[in-house]
Amino acid sequence: MNYSKINGENFYYMVINASNRLEEQSDYVNALNVFPVPDGDTGTNMSMTFKAAVKEIEGINSTNIGEVSKKLAKGALMGARGNSGVILSQILRGISKGLENKESVSSKELSEALQEGSKAAYKAVMRPTEGTILTIIRAAGEAAVKSNKTDITELMNEVCIQSKKMLDKTPEMLPALKKAKVVDSGGMGLLIILQGMHEALKSDLKASIQNVSVKAPGAGNVSAANNLNDHDIKFGYCTEFIILGDAKNANKFKEEIESMGDSMIVVGYEDVIKVHIHTNDPGKVLSKAVMLGELSKIKIDNMREEHRELLTKEDYKKAELENTIEAPVVAESKKYAFISVAMGSGIKNIFEDLGVDFVIEGGQTMNPSTQDILECIDKLNAEHIFVLPNNKNIIMAATQAAEISDKDIRVIPTKTIPQGITCLTMFNPEAEVEENVEELNSNIEMVKTGSVTYAVRDTEMDGIEIKEGNILGLIEGKIKEVGSDVYDLTESLLEKMVDEDSELITLFYGKDCEENKVNEFLSKIEEKYKDLDVQCYKGEQPLYYFILSVE
């Protein structure tokens, strides 16, 4: 099909088809991860981010491309997961800026919007690295503005061709890609999106959203259904909607509905206020909301009814007998609060014991979204809230959440579980916030972190040949040991980490470790390092046999 202009309806089908294609090929994108450890989640993060974006525009009744793109960008912003997802959300935000207030656009205007997407992505990254998704969106934007195509289908074809050529060059830009003989995974994800958009125009596809399973707010912190009964659900209706009105009214509206329920999120962004609340009177909430503007995307679920469907009759009767009604708890105001990200029940318990208010389940292969972090922020009543991501791929989503929130959020860029624990143990509740921020950032460098996992593919890194199934030992994220026995390799890894200044060794063992073998290993390590304090905890973390720290 030929298009001299495209409107909101055309754009809607373009991005829906792109989302479907990315979902279909997310495993392939994951497989391009050059690092052989089990954390290749670029495709998953990009797909879930893009699905959150298209979910936001699902069923939209508008032909205004500016309006559709703005809602798409906001959905991506809230649903962004991992570094690749956050960068993708910024690309969509830039494109939205380029399409703002437009009913339809020409090839020239779409080209300029793509270039705005490139600019926004580069601004979002402190130290941009070429050979990544950034390079591909830059190539797409440059190809678009240089093109003389007036037909938008032809323009998108040219954009895809030039983006593919640039993607093929990424191994020459990043040595790790060249060694692994793959192209950049984030760049491939973006190319799939661009190709999906082109395909929708070329074949005049009226695509519908396939298999959209966007994680609901707070889904990272759910307990088993059979541990609850109806009485535990104090507010029975999960109510979500969007107010099309001035975001400056978000805080005032939050105060107005605060007493009407719990699990409340009220986030304002430009001319949109996104609301989520558990309440017993959705009508009352909506009647207040409509005073601020037109309501959209209204969704009300009866949580008690959904809960009963999850329980068998026997479980339900048992729950009825065993549980009692408890009064809702209102968060007390305090000076400091903490949010941390971790995987493994043992590690989660350690963070809670150290005073963390919310531990979001997540880490390798399961990065929480911006909205997951925002929900926890919104539940806290504190002057200053510290967020410990404990994973390099979560820092950008945490930072994005901090920028959206109207509270004082301090993201400490912890990349490992031991770094997060060290920050908590060194935190001084009597000190002022800036003093604590400076101290925690310096404390990150005090701890050496190691981890023991397994290889998910054959590869070669830094002259080391790695076979699928090999046990891998990493120090600060870099592979230092390759072997076949978990405990022998862990011992060798510790030898590389311990030096004359070391005082403390801490081990967190994962759910795949046998406790009796761990105890034998611990005795060996204690004997070997008699002058050091050796601690061992049952972390229950997946994927990693051991997480180690030396201080």
Side-chain angles (χ1 to χ4, degrees):
M1 290 283 291
N2 296 326
Y3 292 90
S4 60
K5 283 196 168 190
I6 57 170
N7 61 14
E9 183 181 11
N10 305 132
F11 189 70
Y12 174 87
Y13 290 125
M14 288 166 68
V15 295
I16 296 298
N17 191 60
S19 176
N20 292 342
R21 293 292 173 263
L22 184 58
E23 166 68 15
E24 290 165 4
Q25 299 185 62
S26 61
D27 287 343
Y28 168 64
V29 176
N30 285 340
L32 292 175
N33 182 49
V34 296
F35 220 48
V37 301
D39 67 347
D41 49 8
T42 301
T44 301
N45 283 335
M46 291 185 72
S47 180
M48 293 187 74
T49 299
F50 210 73
K51 284 198 290 184
V54 298
K55 185 68 176 176
E56 190 69 25
I57 64 170
E58 185 179 18
I60 187 173
N61 185 23
S62 175
T63 59
N64 185 300
I65 195 169
E67 183 180 339
V68 174
S69 65
K70 179 176 281 191
K71 286 183 178 292
L72 184 82
K74 287 167 184 171
L77 191 74
M78 298 297 288
R81 295 171 188 271
N83 293 344
S84 57
V86 173
I87 293 171
L88 177 59
S89 74
Q90 292 302 314
I91 291 172
L92 295 177
R93 191 175 184 178
I95 291 172
S96 171
K97 180 183 176 183
L99 300 177
E100 193 172 13
N101 298 323
K102 292 182 169 64
E103 176 71 28
S104 60
V105 294
S106 64
S107 60
K108 182 177 183 295
E109 290 169 313
L110 180 61
S111 298
E112 291 168 351
L114 284 171
Q115 195 160 55
E116 285 293 334
S118 173
K119 291 177 183 177
Y122 272 86
K123 284 180 183 177
V125 180
M126 188 174 295
R127 287 181 290 274
T129 301
E130 295 301 335
T132 65
I133 185 175
L134 294 173
T135 304
I136 307 311
I137 186 58
R138 177 172 56 78
E142 289 175 354
V145 295
K146 289 178 182 176
S147 174
N148 59 4
K149 304 293 185 185
T150 56
D151 175 64
I152 295 176
T153 304
E154 292 181 5
L155 172 73
M156 287 304 299
N157 181 55
E158 197 163 296
V159 165
C160 290
I161 290 171
Q162 295 305 317
S163 297
K164 174 67 166 58
K165 286 182 179 178
M166 185 61 75
L167 181 65
D168 290 340
K169 294 177 182 177
T170 57
E172 300 303 320
M173 302 178 197
L174 291 173
L177 296 176
K178 190 171 186 177
K179 285 183 180 179
K181 298 178 181 178
V182 294
V183 296
D184 178 66
S185 55
M188 176 58 78
L190 181 60
L191 177 62
I192 291 168
I193 290 171
L194 295 170
Q195 289 173 335
M197 294 171 73
H198 171 244
E199 181 187 35
L201 290 175
K202 182 181 177 182
S203 303
D204 192 28
L205 296 179
K206 300 294 187 286
S208 58
I209 300 174
Q210 295 174 7
N211 190 32
V212 174
S213 178
V214 180
K215 188 176 176 186
N221 297 297
V222 292
S223 55
N226 59 8
N227 288 332
L228 300 170
N229 68 14
D230 282 359
H231 298 309
D232 290 298
I233 303 173
K234 304 300 185 299
F235 298 98
Y237 297 95
C238 176
T239 306
E240 296 179 71
F241 56 92
I242 290 172
I243 306 172
L244 304 178
D246 192 343
K248 293 178 182 176
N249 294 319
N251 286 337
K252 184 179 178 182
F253 180 67
K254 184 191 297 185
E255 293 172 3
E256 288 181 359
I257 67 170
E258 193 166 11
S259 62
M260 298 182 190
D262 64 9
S263 298
M264 182 178 63
I265 303 175
V266 179
V267 179
Y269 176 71
E270 293 185 359
D271 58 354
V272 167
I273 303 172
K274 188 165 186 175
V275 182
H276 172 277
I277 186 171
H278 293 173
T279 180
N280 284 329
D281 193 345
K284 192 173 179 181
V285 174
L286 293 172
S287 66
K288 286 189 174 292
V290 79
M291 302 292 288
L292 300 180
E294 184 180 343
L295 303 187
S296 175
K297 300 289 183 184
I298 300 171
K299 182 172 175 284
I300 301 172
D301 293 321
N302 185 334
M303 295 187 295
R304 295 188 182 100
E305 182 178 68
E306 290 176 346
H307 174 251
R308 286 193 290 270
E309 290 173 359
L310 291 173
L311 297 173
T312 64
K313 289 182 180 179
E314 184 178 349
D315 287 335
Y316 185 69
K317 287 178 181 177
K318 183 179 178 182
E320 283 275 70
L321 291 171
E322 292 181 353
N323 290 286
T324 57
I325 301 175
E326 296 178 4
V329 178
V330 178
E332 292 183 11
S333 176
K334 53 185 178 179
K335 185 173 182 178
Y336 293 119
F338 284 90
I339 296 168
S340 183
V341 182
M343 289 183 75
S345 58
I347 291 176
K348 177 179 180 289
N349 291 338
I350 291 168
F351 276 110
E352 289 175 342
D353 290 343
L354 289 171
V356 172
D357 298 85
F358 285 105
V359 180
I360 303 173
E361 185 181 1
Q364 298 294 68
T365 75
M366 192 172 74
N367 302 148
S369 69
T370 298
Q371 185 162 346
D372 289 331
I373 299 168
L374 272 173
E375 185 192 60
C376 294
I377 289 171
D378 202 72
K379 288 178 180 177
L380 291 169
N381 186 7
E383 289 180 47
H384 313 287
I385 299 171
F386 285 84
V387 181
L388 306 174
N390 303 329
N391 186 295
K392 65 179 182 180
N393 208 31
I394 300 173
I395 294 172
M396 285 187 74
T399 302
Q400 189 156 275
E403 291 171 354
I404 295 172
S405 176
D406 58 356
K407 297 183 179 181
D408 183 39
I409 312 300
R410 307 301 178 108
V411 178
I412 307 299
T414 52
K415 297 178 182 178
T416 67
I417 294 296
Q419 285 182 352
I421 291 173
T422 297
C423 283
L424 289 165
T425 56
M426 300 297 288
F427 182 78
N428 181 4
E430 304 302 321
E432 292 304 311
V433 63
E434 297 299 342
E435 185 181 341
N436 265 315
V437 169
E438 184 178 347
E439 185 70 17
L440 296 189
N441 277 303
S442 64
N443 286 338
I444 291 175
E445 308 303 323
M446 290 174 54
V447 56
K448 298 176 187 175
T449 301
S451 55
V452 180
T453 185
Y454 57 91
V456 295
R457 63 177 63 84
D458 294 352
T459 189
E460 182 182 319
M461 300 202 76
D462 299 325
I464 303 172
E465 187 178 355
I466 298 168
K467 296 292 183 183
E468 182 179 348
N470 279 164
I471 306 302
L472 304 177
L474 296 85
I475 298 176
E476 309 302 348
K478 295 183 178 180
I479 297 172
K480 298 295 183 181
E481 292 281 339
V482 179
S484 57
D485 183 87
V486 169
Y487 299 95
D488 289 345
L489 184 139
T490 304
E491 184 178 357
S492 297
L493 197 66
L494 278 171
E495 289 174 0
K496 285 183 166 61
M497 295 174 67
V498 174
D499 58 29
E500 58 184 15
D501 297 322
S502 302
E503 297 176 356
L504 171 66
I505 295 173
T506 307
L507 301 93
F508 305 90
Y509 64 95
K511 67 178 185 178
D512 293 324
C513 291
E514 296 178 27
E515 198 157 343
N516 61 327
K517 289 186 177 181
V518 172
N519 289 332
E520 290 175 9
F521 178 68
L522 180 61
S523 298
K524 185 178 181 181
I525 295 302
E526 287 175 332
E527 179 66 25
K528 185 172 182 176
Y529 298 103
K530 288 181 179 180
D531 296 334
L532 275 65
D533 185 10
V534 180
Q535 300 177 355
C536 185
Y537 299 96
K538 186 177 183 179
E540 285 286 327
Q541 70 271 10
L543 307 178
Y544 289 84
Y545 301 107
F546 283 99
I547 294 173
L548 318 166
S549 70
V550 175
E551 300 175 59

